[in-house]
Amino acid sequence: MDTRHHEGETTFYTSCIGSCGSGGLCILKAHIKDGVVTAVEPDDRYNKNIGREDAVISEQDLAKSRVQARVCAKGIVAYKYMYHPDRILYPLKRVPGTRRGEGKYTRISWEEALDTVAGKMKETREKYGPYSIINPYFQMSGADGLGRLLSFWGAGVDGWGMASVDAIMLMSHIAAGSPSTERAKHTSSSAADMLQNSKLIVLWGHDPTMGSLGPGHQFAWYLKLARERGTRVIIIDPRYTVAAEVLADQWIPIKPGTDLAMFLAMAHVLLKEDLWDKDFVNKHVDLNGLEKWKRYIFGIDDGVEKNPEWAEKKCAVPAETIRDLTRLVAANKPSWLWSNWGVSRKSGGEQVVQAFIALQALLGYWGIPGAGPAVNLGPTPDIAIHVPWGPNGSYNIPRMYRGQYWAQAVLLLDKVKSGELSPKEYMRMVGWRADPSLLSQFNPKMVFGTSYGPFSRNFIVSVTDSPNYQIEALNRMEFITLVHNTMTPTVRYADIILPSRDWTWEEKRVCRPDSGHGFASITYCPGVVKPPGETKSWIWIYLKLAERLGISPRDYFSYYTSDENWENDYDRYVKASYDKVIEHYKKRNIEVPSWEEFTRGKFINCDDLEEKPIVGWEDQMARGKPFGTESGKIEVYSNYIGNEANRGKGEHTDSFGRLYNLLPSDWGEVPPMPVYKTAVRGMDDPLSRQYPLMLLSPHPRYRAHSTFWDHPWLKDHIYRHRVWISTSDASTRNIKDDDLVQVFNDRGKVVMRAYVTSRLMPGNIVLHHGGWYTPDESGVDFGASPSTLLGGDFRSGTTPFKTTGLVQVEKYQGES
Ligand SMILES: Nc1nc2c(c(=O)[nH]1)N[C@H]1C(S)=C(S)[C@@H](COP(=O)(O)OP(=O)(O)OC[C@H]3O[C@@H](n4cnc5c(=O)[nH]c(N)nc54)[C@H](O)[C@@H]3O)O[C@H]1N2
Ligand SMILES: Nc1nc2c(c(=O)[nH]1)N[C@H]1C(S)=C(S)[C@@H](COP(=O)(O)OP(=O)(O)OC[C@H]3O[C@@H](n4cnc5c(=O)[nH]c(N)nc54)[C@H](O)[C@@H]3O)O[C@H]1N2
Ligand SMILES: [Mo]
């Protein structure tokens, strides 16, 4: 770096805490002057001044992730976003007389903002009872933030579900007896393990050249090294992705939402050709259930064999390709098999996961080096850094509706009240997960949107239910408040906005990324950037609200002593979370940097502290313990779901009393074992006659979801938000590259320019997730958010975030 331009600056290390899933994995070396970031460089803590790390590092270095945690383009420019002109700097109140969504606000004091919000909370509870304040979406933790506040105050309801991995988490519990709370037990240091032990690598729906689970590009880089050593890589994706282009030996296009058919046919080949691992299956699989599944696979009852020829008709992968691939993965032991999250983030996603679990069981690919973790949740180090804020209050926030159906939960209530919809039907549709008797008291009148930390989520854009419904639901509310940093399409609907800080730069924090294909580390974010305007720490915001609701701030946040001491109190809290880390390693006789060293930039590379790469399921494989299912075995057929007496119970628990966190009271049409069904709004739905194209909404390379949509350095010629359409679908519609087109269905319409490409299977279009909903007066979305066109699989409220749907595309005739 040319030092002449950097006089008077100091440098420090911090982790990038984007919502890209890296959660603090990637390292930034930042320059700062007078509290303002002036420049950012990539990580240089390993292999300083080395351009090509693979030229200098050893096998041991690779196994222990002694590589730079390289940040992506988003991370490098993230600091610019702190100084964006649309940053919310002061508490804001919607200008009286203006409509929600117009985005006209006036600055108010913190006093007025907090008094108003607390006042509205009290008024709402008084008038409408405890179940009247709702969080759209989900993820109010009971342990901190708003959730903790409500646990003391005794009102409020939440949605349930995760956005990313619901189907996997649910099936991990149902089929393998491992709830998400035990995720660390079946983690694996995947990248090193894969590089050093796998004979073949097969990835379904995974592009590790961008953020997904390969933040900082390390996973892609390990894949590249594996290929250089002769390990073949096969990628199965409807799109010819960058990974398919630069990292794969073979690309197999597949119709989206049909991977289950492929998995069934692969199981068919394994069984038919006697390629399955009998020892493993006899030892670890519930054989009664497997018999039932085999009957289905061989078509004993329905007369339809689920062989590769059958699957080809569903998924468009040639039968011979399926047969070859199955023989390859059985012969190359171990093969590293990974079906990524997007594959099961759709209706019927649970079956996709359960079939994949079963397939790997037939191959015996559980808990052995080089085969991946079998349940694809992403590695999680077994180290908690969350320190309790004190004992919790006594109110348990009921998780009522599936987060993605929050608007439906509000709107359909009218039909229940009018008798048009039975309570039972309502509960099945919205994925009710609470005690059924609470429904009669559910009376949503105020929205307090939250998530974890300072984020309140951009749900109008990121919930996969059309904003047209969400806005209708928002407009039923008497009051809306959101904690946020920038003027997103969602924030524009708030009556009061509480401005919060940037987690990467403005708040001190100990960071433990919870996924990243290995590369687990613990780092320190020093929070040295001067927070702009009157933005506040999220903890402070909730603490001050607690005070106004009659909760002692010390009860709320046990580190609190007084307003004057706030900075110190907060520091003690941050240090306490590092003490937990020291304690954790001390138990294993491992010494880690002291607090002083840690805060001066030394970090913990967790992979380096392990003797060998971690391989999951050790309890079951090495120690002979049973799986945590009813049968003690891997359940290809779920004994819990198979028992109809369990349906409709409210909250479900397994035979050990552990909550099935992602199972609604009535699981609708989820079958006990993976059987193929035509997806609602899938390519074979009768609706496809009207809307013949399948919309895919994958995650964007140059945004984290919707974050950075308006980042000046990540748009225009860097990233052009376009609808991808295949050359053949474009030519039959007379659409040329860069033409303005409209994409529409019965839920909404978006208008944008087309990217005509051969990188996509005909019959599909792609609209990257996170475009900012920008409606005209008639509700046509010129920001082009895929959510505008999504939603509504009510066959079961279980369905994971539905990120695909049917649409039609034509040339746009209106004015641009
Ligand atoms: N840059 C960036 N990185 C991110 C994020 C981001 O927004 N931006 N978000 C982060 C988060 S929170 C998450 S959950 C992860 C999500 O990561 P993923 O779950 O991997 O997300 P997607 O991009 O939806 O899907 C990945 C690939 O699957 C393909 N695909 C879609 N449907 C199917 C199908 O039915 N079958 C098959 N075989 N392939 C299919 C898509 O074409 C795409 O190439 O990414 C994380 N990383
Ligand atoms: N169509 C479609 N929809 C999807 C998906 C899909 O694949 N397709 N994927 C789903 C998935 S997996 C996920 S995880 C969700 C994500 O959904 P969201 O959580 O809503 O995602 P973001 O757009 O990242 O929203 C985060 C918000 O927090 C703000 N923010 C970011 N960093 C900070 C910070 O440091 N401080 C403060 N105060 N605020 C900050 C941003 O401005 C942004 O408005 O989307 C889901 N929705
Ligand atoms: Mo996600």
Side-chain angles (χ1 to χ4, degrees):
M1 185 170 273
D2 183 347
T3 46
R4 279 169 307 174
H5 302 299
H6 294 274
E7 268 166 38
E9 295 174 356
T10 48
T11 60
F12 65 97
Y13 291 103
T14 191
S15 320
C16 177
I17 317 173
S19 62
C20 64
S22 83
L25 175 74
C26 306
I27 301 298
L28 301 159
K29 184 179 177 184
H31 294 239
I32 191 165
K33 193 175 176 181
D34 304 327
V36 174
V37 180
T38 49
V40 163
E41 295 179 73
D43 186 18
D44 62 355
R45 294 168 311 169
Y46 284 115
N47 307 315
K48 228 182 188 47
N49 299 325
I50 300 287
R52 272 197 53 206
E53 288 182 282
D54 47 335
V56 299
I57 55 184
S58 65
E59 282 304 291
Q60 187 69 348
D61 290 335
L62 287 167
K64 300 205 161 216
S65 306
R66 293 188 197 126
V67 292
Q68 293 165 9
R70 286 176 206 159
V71 77
C72 70
K74 300 188 296 303
I76 287 278
V77 304
Y79 75 98
K80 280 275 164 192
Y81 207 56
M82 280 187 290
Y83 313 115
H84 194 285
D86 286 344
R87 176 87 192 257
I88 301 166
L89 301 175
Y90 305 99
L92 298 177
K93 178 170 101 177
R94 179 160 58 87
V95 173
T98 62
R99 267 184 307 111
R100 286 180 180 148
E102 266 184 66
K104 298 215 171 80
Y105 288 91
T106 41
R107 178 178 167 180
I108 53 172
S109 68
W110 270 107
E111 283 297 298
E112 183 182 346
L114 293 165
D115 286 346
T116 311
V117 173
K120 286 287 176 187
M121 287 175 79
K122 287 186 205 162
E123 188 186 315
T124 311
R125 185 177 73 171
E126 195 145 303
K127 266 169 70 185
Y128 305 109
Y131 309 116
S132 55
I133 300 171
I134 67 164
N135 179 28
Y137 224 138
F138 59 89
Q139 217 171 55
M140 214 194 276
S141 149
D144 55 30
L146 179 65
R148 183 171 164 77
L149 171 67
L150 298 179
S151 85
F152 284 105
W153 192 53
V157 310
D158 199 2
W160 62 270
M162 289 274 299
S164 340
V165 286
D166 283 347
I168 309 180
M169 281 193 178
L170 175 61
M171 280 302 142
S172 165
H173 195 168
I174 294 270
S178 181
S180 53
T181 45
E182 291 175 17
R183 193 167 159 181
K185 288 196 179 161
H186 49 82
T187 194
S188 85
S189 321
S190 328
D193 180 32
M194 177 272 300
L195 171 66
Q196 295 176 330
N197 300 311
S198 305
K199 301 281 185 305
L200 172 72
I201 298 159
V202 190
L203 311 170
W204 278 265
H206 194 10
D207 183 348
T209 69
M210 49 163 274
S212 171
L213 282 184
H217 300 247
Q218 293 95 328
F219 187 67
W221 186 68
Y222 273 60
L223 270 176
K224 181 183 85 85
L225 293 186
R227 273 190 78 214
E228 283 170 8
R229 294 169 179 201
T231 313
R232 271 172 295 180
V233 176
I234 299 171
I235 291 186
I236 298 140
D237 197 305
R239 295 190 300 155
Y240 187 55
T241 57
V242 171
E245 184 179 354
V246 304
L247 293 174
D249 294 273
Q250 188 183 3
W251 168 54
I252 304 175
I254 188 167
K255 272 166 80 172
T258 64
D259 300 69
L260 174 58
M262 186 175 189
F263 295 155
L264 289 168
M266 288 178 77
H268 184 279
V269 175
L270 291 177
L271 293 164
K272 185 104 181 177
E273 300 189 3
D274 207 24
L275 298 173
W276 52 295
D277 185 333
K278 291 171 201 71
D279 285 347
F280 182 90
V281 169
N282 286 329
K283 221 163 147 187
H284 296 296
V285 176
D286 174 25
L287 296 175
N288 283 332
L290 182 63
E291 271 320 300
K292 289 184 187 141
W293 199 46
K294 273 161 93 175
R295 285 183 76 84
Y296 169 71
I297 286 180
F298 288 114
I300 312 277
D301 301 316
D302 63 1
V304 182
E305 275 202 60
K306 312 305 175 299
N307 56 20
E309 284 69 24
W310 168 84
E312 175 176 341
K313 293 195 196 89
K314 309 279 179 209
C315 68
V317 179
E320 269 325 289
T321 307
I322 298 178
R323 247 185 212 105
D324 285 350
L325 179 70
T326 314
R327 290 172 188 154
L328 267 183
V329 298
N332 287 278
K333 281 193 191 311
S335 290
W336 203 83
L337 305 184
W338 185 273
S339 163
N340 210 41
W341 308 349
V343 179
S344 49
R345 209 184 294 116
K346 22 179 83 101
S347 80
E350 304 87 2
Q351 275 59 255
V352 178
V353 179
Q354 200 179 9
F356 194 60
I357 283 178
L359 189 64
Q360 291 177 96
L362 288 175
L363 287 159
Y365 288 170
W366 282 64
I368 53 168
V375 172
N376 298 358
L377 284 174
T380 304
D382 189 16
I383 308 159
I385 56 165
H386 180 83
V387 283
W389 293 11
N392 247 20
S394 57
Y395 174 77
N396 273 328
I397 305 156
R399 290 176 193 269
M400 288 185 163
Y401 38 87
R402 184 177 238 299
Q404 114 208 42
Y405 289 141
W406 80 270
Q408 306 294 345
V410 170
L411 298 174
L412 291 172
L413 264 187
D414 285 354
K415 292 196 171 170
V416 178
K417 284 187 187 133
S418 70
E420 220 178 303
L421 195 65
S422 74
K424 212 172 149 193
E425 183 78 347
Y426 169 86
M427 289 194 274
R428 187 184 55 72
M429 287 170 80
V430 303
W432 192 264
R433 211 209 68 181
D435 180 346
S437 71
L438 294 183
L439 175 58
S440 59
Q441 298 170 63
F442 180 43
N443 196 8
K445 294 288 181 192
M446 168 175 171
V447 154
F448 199 147
T450 186
S451 165
Y452 51 92
F455 300 72
S456 77
R457 295 192 180 267
N458 190 0
F459 52 86
I460 282 189
V461 163
S462 57
V463 159
T464 53
D465 193 14
S466 180
N468 297 330
Y469 300 110
Q470 295 191 58
I471 288 164
E472 204 184 324
L474 284 172
N475 282 332
R476 302 271 179 102
M477 297 297 133
E478 292 187 2
F479 189 72
I480 301 170
T481 190
L482 297 168
V483 178
H484 222 80
N485 63 340
T486 191
M487 206 44 103
T488 66
T490 306
V491 170
R492 295 163 79 91
Y493 282 82
D495 300 313
I496 296 273
I497 308 169
L498 306 172
S500 55
R501 292 183 177 167
D502 190 295
W503 242 4
T504 298
W505 300 103
E506 296 163 0
E507 298 221 64
K508 277 185 199 146
R509 203 171 157 216
V510 176
C511 252
R512 188 222 67 181
D514 45 34
S515 63
H517 279 324
F519 313 109
S521 59
I522 297 168
T523 53
Y524 182 62
C525 292
V528 288
V529 175
K530 193 168 165 274
E534 289 180 3
T535 57
K536 294 284 186 196
S537 157
W538 61 294
I539 303 183
W540 186 90
I541 297 172
Y542 291 117
L543 182 111
K544 287 287 144 191
L545 273 177
E547 215 172 43
R548 283 168 171 77
L549 294 168
I551 300 154
S552 134
R554 250 176 247 201
D555 283 346
Y556 180 72
F557 186 62
S558 62
Y559 295 87
Y560 177 86
T561 56
S562 68
D563 283 2
E564 295 70 47
N565 266 331
W566 171 251
E567 294 297 326
N568 264 332
D569 296 344
Y570 185 84
D571 286 357
R572 276 192 301 118
Y573 159 67
V574 178
K575 181 171 179 299
S577 52
Y578 190 67
D579 288 342
K580 273 198 102 155
V581 175
I582 298 181
E583 210 178 290
H584 170 90
Y585 279 108
K586 206 169 178 183
K587 279 195 212 129
R588 296 178 55 195
N589 280 325
I590 297 172
E591 205 182 322
V592 294
S594 68
W595 172 245
E596 288 66 34
E597 292 169 320
F598 182 66
T599 50
R600 264 187 263 120
K602 266 203 170 179
F603 72 111
I604 299 178
N605 173 353
C606 304
D607 296 339
D608 203 358
L609 302 180
E610 302 301 327
E611 268 167 37
K612 53 180 181 12
I614 298 168
V615 176
W617 307 102
E618 278 201 344
D619 277 353
Q620 287 77 16
M621 301 302 139
R623 300 188 196 105
K625 286 196 187 160
F627 283 86
T629 52
E630 243 166 75
S631 60
K633 309 263 178 173
I634 296 167
E635 293 193 359
V636 178
Y637 177 101
S638 162
N639 290 309
Y640 192 87
I641 304 262
N643 182 356
E644 275 300 312
N646 291 326
R647 195 190 284 272
K649 266 185 179 172
E651 284 192 345
H652 295 282
T653 45
D654 66 13
S655 41
F656 306 95
R658 301 172 303 182
L659 179 71
Y660 281 123
N661 196 20
L662 294 157
L663 193 62
S665 172
D666 180 345
W667 51 77
E669 291 185 21
V670 175
M673 64 177 179
V675 298
Y676 190 82
K677 275 191 202 162
T678 308
V680 175
R681 289 177 177 264
M683 284 173 124
D684 297 320
D685 189 311
L687 195 68
S688 63
R689 282 194 283 276
Q690 211 175 337
Y691 304 114
L693 296 171
M694 168 57 77
L695 160 74
L696 288 173
S697 60
H699 290 232
R701 185 176 296 272
Y702 293 112
R703 286 195 301 274
H705 314 286
S706 72
T707 308
F708 299 150
W709 165 261
D710 55 344
H711 192 302
W713 287 7
L714 293 175
K715 54 180 204 175
D716 302 330
H717 59 289
I718 305 290
Y719 167 69
R720 296 176 304 156
H721 194 51
R722 293 286 189 269
V723 53
W724 293 28
I725 183 163
S726 74
T727 38
S728 58
D729 289 323
S731 78
T732 54
R733 288 167 177 77
N734 197 23
I735 291 168
K736 290 185 201 58
D737 194 43
D738 226 29
D739 277 354
L740 262 185
V741 297
Q742 52 189 26
V743 185
F744 59 96
N745 61 14
D746 51 342
R747 311 202 160 260
K749 187 193 275 188
V750 309
V751 172
M752 66 188 317
R753 291 191 184 277
Y755 165 49
V756 178
T757 176
S758 52
R759 301 182 79 105
L760 178 67
M761 274 176 98
N764 296 287
I765 64 156
V766 169
L767 206 50
H768 281 102
H769 148 59
W772 278 21
Y773 174 71
T774 316
D776 66 3
E777 308 77 59
S778 61
V780 175
D781 176 10
F782 283 78
S785 162
S787 289
T788 304
L789 306 158
L790 291 173
D793 171 4
F794 292 122
R795 192 158 63 183
S796 71
T798 312
T799 196
F801 262 58
K802 215 174 160 306
T803 54
T804 47
L806 293 169
V807 294
Q808 178 58 292
V809 179
E810 54 191 41
K811 254 186 157 162
Y812 179 63
Q813 305 297 352
E815 294 190 6
S816 56

